[in-house]
Amino acid sequence: AQSVAQPEDQVNVAEGNPLTVKCTYSVSGNPYLFWYVQYPNRGLQFLLKYITGDNLVKGSYGFEAEFNKSQTSFHLKKPSALVSDSALYFCAVRGISGSARQLTFGSGTQLTVLP
Amino acid sequence: SQTIHQWPATLVQPVGSPLSLECTVEGTSNPNLYWYRQAAGRGLQLLFYSVGIGQISSEVPQNLSASRPQDRQFILSSKKLLLSDSGFYLCAWSVRGDRLSNQPQHFGDGTRLSIL
């Protein structure tokens, strides 16, 4: 069975500082990894994905994520946080042989960027 | 471009009443479709998914059901709502096909359901 862990329920960072939202995963074989963001009372928005290739993936709104196979991690990063980045962030994983349903989400990390 | 619509945005229903939530996708054909429930603004629970018209797979036992009467229409229903059915319901779509399982799911804006 595949799983995703987001060890921090809450991350606080000052505006202009770099931010990191952590994600580790467990899956058989090579993973497909995704990050989503959710604003209050809205659906999830796709930010970026890792399929293969370069371990550093760039996505929307200046976010990037680093795939680390040995540590089974896929941490989300941004060099300079904005107040508008404050939202709920979800990491998700799907195994390479997964069927349509097998996208497993983490429990989410609430990011608060302080002005 | 592809868009996904869910309605209503909010719904307040008494216990024991029926439910029908609708989701439609535009700008794509033969999508995979999904219903999720999100409790307390956190983890997502996959309720149903569909790979085609009339093809529904259920992930958890419950008093909810889903139907896909048309290629781009996905409906979540209940004959009798329970208090525990309260939550935020999200519909999503993705490109169909195992070869394309690296494609992300795209979500609607959800329906907030409150059961009184």
Side-chain angles (χ1 to χ4, degrees), chain A residues 71-89:
Chain A
Q71 297 185 8
T72 62
S73 66
F74 189 55
H75 300 331
L76 182 70
K77 300 181 179 183
K78 188 173 182 180
S80 179
L82 301 173
V83 172
S84 57
D85 292 330
S86 299
L88 187 57
Y89 290 81

Side-chain angles (χ1 to χ4, degrees), chain A residues 1-7 21-35 48-55 57 65-76 90-96 102-107:
Chain A
Q2 58 198 35
S3 64
V4 177
Q6 292 182 243
V21 182
K22 296 179 180 177
C23 171
T24 59
Y25 66 90
S26 174
V27 68
S28 298
N30 293 323
Y32 295 145
L33 294 157
F34 305 84
W35 274 103
L48 51 81
K49 66 180 181 182
Y50 171 81
I51 303 304
T52 187
D54 194 348
N55 288 343
V57 178
E66 187 169 11
F67 172 66
N68 187 315
K69 188 172 184 178
S70 62
Q71 297 185 8
T72 62
S73 66
F74 189 55
H75 300 331
L76 182 70
F90 289 95
C91 181
V93 67
R94 176 185 286 138
I96 195 169
Q102 289 182 356
L103 185 61
T104 301
F105 286 88
S107 57

Side-chain angles (χ1 to χ4, degrees), chain A residues 6 8-13 21 38-40 85-90 107-113, chain B residues 41-42:
Chain A
Q6 292 182 243
E8 302 159 315
D9 284 345
Q10 175 82 40
V11 170
N12 296 327
V13 63
V21 182
Q38 184 180 31
Y39 296 98
D85 292 330
S86 299
L88 187 57
Y89 290 81
F90 289 95
S107 57
T109 298
Q110 180 66 49
L111 172 68
T112 300
V113 181
Chain B
R42 282 294 171 142

Side-chain angles (χ1 to χ4, degrees), chain B residues 95-113:
Chain B
V95 175
R96 184 186 296 181
D98 282 350
R99 291 188 299 110
L100 299 175
S101 63
N102 60 8
Q103 295 302 310
Q105 293 180 11
H106 302 279
F107 288 78
D109 278 338
T111 295
R112 186 160 303 282
L113 176 63

